[in-house]
Amino acid sequence: MRRKLAAGNWKMHGSVSALAELTTLAAQIDPQGCETVICPPATLLFHACQLVTSTDIAIGAQCCHPQPHGPFTGDVSARMIAETGASYVIAGHSERRDRYAETDAEVQAQIRAAWRENLTAILCVGESGEDRQAGITLDTIATQLAGSLPDGANGENVVIAYEPIWAIGTGDVPTLAQIGEVHDFIRAQLVRRFGDTQGKTIRLLYGGSVKPSNAADIFTAENVDGALVGGASLQAADFLPIIQALNDA
Ligand code: PGA
């Protein structure tokens, strides 16, 4: 049985005062329900981890450098993230792949680094609008999975988020059939590579313009175990109904 997961990606938003949203969330989430993870900016990780101690919220980072330390100005290593008390890290978000030219091989190295520090990686994959137009969505996903997901993946150490780039922050959402097709495809790839047992324990999230208004619908799609939510995770008042919809699905 895969435990459902609602993950919030705050991106470069939030402040010390915005961490009050975590306290609001913690007071209202159902401990028997889905798992909840919030990924704030690196500067807030330590403080966020302190705040959620003895709540049902876990904290994650948004990316990590594969080396534990070194001359990498501005970067934060998986080891440093683990030291804050965080337990998750996003890897290969399309904004990092695009803006910082992170390759599949680099994303794979980040995930290996995350595993060395016992962090669970949330690996993002997803096609561009051009890929979808050209009918190569599944090829793109297959290439990203093959290149960025290390051997040894299992339900404990990785979660995969399908995030079509054209749906991120745009309000455009794929049809349920499109989401279901990609999630089924990812599941089949995982089972083929890691076997039935491991392949079926890895959770698959949908991400891209998930809102309180569309969450319940999205959670009816095949093989969707939760969501990776950007904008609608910044405020508890938006994220809570999404969590509720996931619990009800
Ligand atoms: P969005 O972002 O929910 O604001 O579209 C999702 C993401 O980039 O993870």
Side-chain angles (χ1 to χ4, degrees), residues 64-65 67-69 76-84 113 117 119:
C64 68
H65 192 281
Q67 298 298 324
H69 42 71
V76 174
S77 71
R79 182 168 298 175
M80 293 165 177
I81 291 165
E83 206 182 25
T84 68
E117 306 301 332
L119 299 171

Side-chain angles (χ1 to χ4, degrees), residues 9 11 93 95 163 167-170 207-211 228-232:
N9 173 13
K11 308 190 180 184
H93 191 283
E95 287 156 13
E163 298 207 311
I168 295 175
T170 59
S209 294
V210 178
K211 307 281 176 225
L228 179 57
V229 184

Side-chain angles (χ1 to χ4, degrees), residues 29-187:
I29 57 178
D30 172 7
Q32 310 299 320
C34 67
E35 188 178 359
T36 304
V37 180
I38 294 287
C39 303
T43 51
L44 297 176
L45 286 173
F46 184 76
H47 198 147
C49 288
Q50 302 285 304
L51 266 181
V52 301
T53 312
S54 61
T55 75
D56 295 298
I57 298 177
I59 298 297
Q62 298 174 9
C63 62
C64 68
H65 192 281
Q67 298 298 324
H69 42 71
F72 307 107
T73 303
D75 277 318
V76 174
S77 71
R79 182 168 298 175
M80 293 165 177
I81 291 165
E83 206 182 25
T84 68
S87 46
Y88 279 84
V89 60
I90 297 171
H93 191 283
S94 58
E95 287 156 13
R96 305 261 341 150
R97 290 179 186 264
D98 181 40
R99 191 168 170 83
Y100 301 97
E102 290 185 359
T103 63
D104 282 331
E106 283 163 352
V107 173
Q108 176 164 163
Q110 292 169 18
I111 296 177
R112 289 184 190 283
W115 290 354
R116 285 194 290 275
E117 306 301 332
N118 291 318
L119 299 171
T120 298
I122 302 176
L123 167 62
C124 301
V125 296
E127 82 285 6
S128 64
E130 293 76 46
D131 289 346
R132 185 154 282 277
Q133 294 270 313
I136 56 166
T137 294
L138 298 182
D139 305 278
T140 299
I141 305 287
T143 304
Q144 290 174 337
L145 280 178
S148 53
L149 186 57
D151 288 339
N154 62 45
E156 295 294 313
N157 63 20
V158 80
V159 174
I160 294 172
Y162 166 53
E163 298 207 311
I165 297 169
W166 52 274
I168 295 175
T170 59
D172 292 336
V173 176
T175 64
L176 293 187
Q178 288 171 329
I179 295 174
E181 182 193 30
V182 175
H183 279 236
D184 283 353
F185 177 75
I186 295 174
R187 177 70 63 215

Side-chain angles (χ1 to χ4, degrees), residues 208-220:
S209 294
V210 178
K211 307 281 176 225
S213 56
N214 60 20
D217 249 15
I218 290 169
F219 297 142
T220 64

